[in-house]
Amino acid sequence: MVEPIFASPLADTIIQDVEKPLEEEGFAFLQAQSMQSVLECAGLIGWDTFATSWNDLGVDRYMADGGRYRRRRYATFSLTDETITRKPHQPHYQSRDYNTLNGGIERWFKPVLPAIGEHPALMAILRLALRVITDMTPPQRRPRSWHTEIHQFRIEARPDAAGCPTPEGLHRDGVDWVFVVMVRRENVARGETSIHDLNHKQVGSFTLTNPMDMAIVNDNRVYHGVTPVQPVDPDRPAYRDVLVVTLRHE
């Protein structure tokens, strides 16, 4: 059973402040200080152990551009008003209508580790996502459950090769909602997120900088993309870690 959350007036105010731009513009940017307050109401503890798990991801070997700059793990869940249930491991699939670079095939990635799949930080993020999309979806259109995909991404950058968070370019994911949570930026510059309407006109931009900064995108209304990241100090490791959560009607 998903316990009632967000009883805090502060959390409710922050969520309402997020939902207003989502309603008006199709996207929202929530900075870390506010997001941490909301996630703590949803049960967030142990962020450091959650973030450390990004050190144990597998190389994405499906990159059609030949790159080896992306590491990831993947899991799927079913979210309802009552439960958050992890599904058996399955491939990730996008049609080429939405991913012209890597779409059209089943991609099998290493699964999210069991301890991370039930980690309080992840559960808090999923509870927040469920609260927001429930509020934003008219009652007559709410599904009984949401098919939810979890992606742990690390984008690595080298002096001779930038890392591409969105190698497919400006895109939609073919889902209903996309949540992107910054986990860590280490020695990287750039990585700016841009938002475009369905006519490809830019309507917003921001940079996820601090751990727990979050972007929320209505995938039916806008495109999004992220500029490549480059090392600041060429002699040190450079990477960008994010959690991406997508949700669609099941």
Side-chain angles (χ1 to χ4, degrees):
M1 177 74 68
V2 179
E3 297 178 359
I5 55 171
F6 308 119
S8 158
L10 174 61
D12 275 333
T13 298
I14 293 171
I15 291 171
Q16 290 168 15
D17 288 344
V18 170
E19 292 175 351
K20 183 176 180 180
L22 271 179
E23 176 67 29
E24 295 177 350
E25 302 171 4
F27 72 97
F29 172 46
L30 180 62
Q31 293 184 310
Q33 183 176 0
S34 296
M35 182 178 170
Q36 182 172 350
S37 298
V38 173
L39 291 178
E40 286 174 350
C41 291
L44 169 68
I45 58 173
W47 176 264
D48 288 344
T49 61
F50 182 62
T52 298
S53 70
W54 266 254
N55 293 329
D56 186 21
L57 307 184
V59 174
D60 184 342
R61 302 186 182 280
Y62 292 93
M63 299 297 296
D65 63 0
R68 290 293 182 266
Y69 51 80
R70 183 159 73 179
R71 297 178 180 271
R72 67 195 296 177
R73 286 184 182 269
Y74 173 74
T76 57
F77 291 78
S78 178
L79 271 59
T80 73
D81 290 341
E82 292 79 28
T83 60
I84 297 174
T85 305
R86 185 166 181 173
K87 297 182 177 183
H89 194 52
Q90 58 187 265
H92 176 51
Y93 180 83
Q94 290 174 294
S95 76
R96 293 188 63 83
D97 293 334
Y98 291 100
N99 190 331
T100 57
L101 179 67
N102 298 317
I105 61 171
E106 292 186 344
R107 290 179 283 166
W108 287 92
F109 301 114
K110 286 188 174 182
V112 170
L113 294 172
I116 301 305
E118 57 189 28
H119 195 285
L122 178 61
M123 293 298 104
I125 292 167
L126 294 182
R127 292 185 187 111
L128 172 59
L130 181 60
R131 161 66 188 270
V132 170
I133 65 176
T134 298
D135 288 352
M136 299 300 297
T137 306
Q140 66 273 19
R141 295 187 57 243
R142 291 175 193 159
R144 294 186 61 184
S145 62
W146 294 88
H147 176 73
T148 304
E149 302 184 39
I150 306 298
H151 306 259
Q152 291 180 280
F153 283 114
R154 168 168 288 183
I155 302 299
E156 299 174 330
R158 302 191 309 271
D160 61 342
C164 299
T166 55
E168 65 272 46
L170 192 67
H171 68 286
R172 294 160 61 206
D173 286 317
V175 294
D176 292 307
W177 299 96
V178 181
F179 290 70
V180 184
V181 183
M182 173 54 63
V183 175
R184 184 178 182 182
R185 288 172 62 102
E186 179 64 27
N187 187 39
V188 294
R190 301 186 70 200
E192 179 184 60
T193 299
S194 64
I195 307 294
H196 296 241
D197 65 19
L198 297 182
N199 294 315
H200 293 270
K201 177 184 177 181
Q202 184 168 332
V203 294
S205 66
F206 49 84
T207 300
L208 299 175
T209 302
N210 300 307
M212 289 190 249
D213 280 354
M214 174 186 277
I216 308 173
V217 172
N218 182 334
D219 197 57
N220 294 301
R221 291 180 56 188
V222 295
Y223 292 85
H224 64 280
V226 183
T227 59
V229 292
Q230 300 170 324
V232 175
D233 181 349
D235 296 324
R236 293 173 47 217
Y239 52 86
R240 178 183 187 265
D241 292 349
V242 299
L243 174 75
V244 175
V245 180
T246 67
L247 306 100
R248 61 173 172 80
H249 284 57
E250 190 163 48

